[in-house]
Amino acid sequence: MSDVDSARADAASASDPAHVAEVVSAPAVPLATGPVAAAAPGARRTRDALHFALRNKKVVGGGIVVLAFLALGMIAPLFYDYGHSEYVGPQSTGPSGEYWFGTTTFGQDVFLQFVHGIRSTFLVGLLGGGLAALIGMTIGFVAGYVGGLVDEALNMLTNIVLVLPALAVLIILHTYIGISSVPSQALFIGIFSWPWVARAVRAQTFSLRTRDFVDLARLSGMGSGAIIRREIAPNMSSYLFMTFILLFGGSVLFAATLDFIGLGPTGVMSLGLMMNNAVHWSALQLGLWWWFLPPGLGITAIVGALYIMNVGLDEVFNPKLREM
């Protein structure tokens, strides 16, 4: 059959009512909807963020410092067959090949105390920062989305905790209850560290709850909790992650302050407790710089690296600040 005859046959079949009905009734090709379609933009954003994060010197540098301290705290104690409080060497000895950070006035290994202190530092930062993030984000989301009397009540609670003198309250609580472990210390820190997070998340939620995608989710019958989890929170994921990093660093500083002034757990070695012991046993007057200098530098390096990471992540997530 020639091309002309084929064209005439196609035209005739197209004008046939039965053929037209068959074409109209043919099932349409399904479009990509649901989780697959929704996951594609999220996965693309994650890949883009990871790409720019690996190119950002602040994120990479800060992450290397934090991971190096974490690895040191987790691995180094495994190579010692004695505890950090045992008297294992000569008293008040400076750094050497056998005792890298020297010994205390009682002959304890300062390096072993240092690596055990790093463990406690990361644990209190994770628990205290995580608890503060959980409380603050929950209150912020609920207050910002629900509004009305619920918002006023939660905002009042936030303001009350915000103006409380946290250190004075902790001193009173420590006097009557005591802080005997790192989890209990993290609990106290988390309870007093969440108000600024709640206020920030509340403001962001106020802005997002009027967006079109939230209105569509509400019209589809989705509940308030599901809307917050699936629609609002994912659009704030980068901000929430950066908030957790700030809470982590703040918990580390808070715990070091409590340990240094004698309000932390004494049965667990920490960097703040090392400085407290150094001051208590006159390391400054005796010139034992290797006793108090490493924990101070360790706290400064960890918190500083977290802050630098946060600045770098702000450049990664904010296209206006992104370094191309």
Side-chain angles (χ1 to χ4, degrees), residues 13 53 71 83 102 155 158 163 168 173 180 223 233 290 302 315 323:
S13 61
N155 196 31
T158 302
V163 299
L173 292 176
S180 58
W290 55 85
I302 293 173
E315 296 175 354
E323 296 179 358

Side-chain angles (χ1 to χ4, degrees), residues 95-163:
S96 62
E98 185 176 3
Y99 303 103
W100 291 359
F101 287 1
T103 60
T104 68
T105 55
F106 303 100
Q108 299 160 320
D109 193 335
V110 176
F111 178 76
L112 187 56
Q113 291 186 349
F114 178 75
V115 294
H116 275 278
I118 292 176
R119 283 186 172 185
S120 301
T121 296
F122 276 92
L123 181 59
V124 75
L126 179 64
L127 296 179
L131 179 60
L134 178 62
I135 297 174
M137 292 176 187
T138 301
I139 292 179
F141 281 131
V142 174
Y145 182 78
V146 177
L149 294 177
V150 174
D151 176 41
E152 294 181 3
L154 293 178
N155 196 31
M156 182 182 300
L157 175 63
T158 302
N159 292 332
I160 291 174
V161 179
L162 189 63
V163 299

Side-chain angles (χ1 to χ4, degrees), residues 42-297:
R44 189 180 304 111
R45 286 195 298 267
T46 302
R47 289 196 301 268
D48 292 342
L50 182 61
H51 169 74
F52 286 106
L54 294 176
R55 295 180 58 185
N56 190 285
K57 296 180 180 179
K58 298 182 182 68
V59 176
V60 175
I64 290 175
V65 172
V66 172
L67 291 178
F69 274 99
L70 179 60
L72 181 65
M74 297 300 297
I75 298 174
L78 302 178
F79 294 92
Y80 290 83
D81 55 358
Y82 53 85
H84 60 81
S85 60
E86 297 182 23
Y87 308 140
V88 296
Q91 301 176 357
S92 305
T93 301
S96 62
E98 185 176 3
Y99 303 103
W100 291 359
F101 287 1
T103 60
T104 68
T105 55
F106 303 100
Q108 299 160 320
D109 193 335
V110 176
F111 178 76
L112 187 56
Q113 291 186 349
F114 178 75
V115 294
H116 275 278
I118 292 176
R119 283 186 172 185
S120 301
T121 296
F122 276 92
L123 181 59
V124 75
L126 179 64
L127 296 179
L131 179 60
L134 178 62
I135 297 174
M137 292 176 187
T138 301
I139 292 179
F141 281 131
V142 174
Y145 182 78
V146 177
L149 294 177
V150 174
D151 176 41
E152 294 181 3
L154 293 178
N155 196 31
M156 182 182 300
L157 175 63
T158 302
N159 292 332
I160 291 174
V161 179
L162 189 63
V163 299
L164 283 177
L167 186 59
V169 175
L170 286 175
I171 292 175
I172 297 173
L173 292 176
H174 178 74
T175 303
Y176 290 97
I177 301 177
I179 300 176
S180 58
S181 63
V182 172
S184 61
Q185 185 184 46
L187 176 63
F188 285 119
I189 293 174
I191 290 175
F192 290 98
S193 301
W194 59 266
W196 70 269
V197 180
R199 300 187 70 174
V201 173
R202 171 180 174 270
Q204 294 284 342
T205 307
F206 263 128
S207 175
L208 291 175
R209 72 174 185 175
T210 58
R211 301 291 180 88
D212 293 339
F213 61 89
V214 176
D215 292 336
L216 290 175
R218 193 181 298 113
L219 291 174
S220 67
M222 190 178 296
S224 299
I227 292 176
I228 292 175
R229 292 192 308 269
R230 301 178 185 178
E231 302 295 337
I232 296 179
N235 283 277
M236 297 171 54
S237 58
S238 59
Y239 179 79
L240 299 179
F241 181 65
M242 294 168 60
T243 299
F244 173 73
I245 292 179
L246 291 178
L247 289 172
F248 191 106
S251 298
V252 170
L253 285 178
F254 206 157
T257 302
L258 295 176
D259 294 336
F260 181 72
I261 63 179
L263 297 180
T266 57
V268 180
M269 182 54 61
S270 64
L271 299 181
L273 183 59
M274 286 183 66
M275 294 189 292
N276 175 272
N277 292 335
V279 172
H280 183 73
W281 296 106
S282 305
L284 294 173
Q285 290 77 9
L286 297 175
L288 306 181
W289 57 267
W290 55 85
W291 192 353
F292 60 84
L293 193 59
L297 292 178

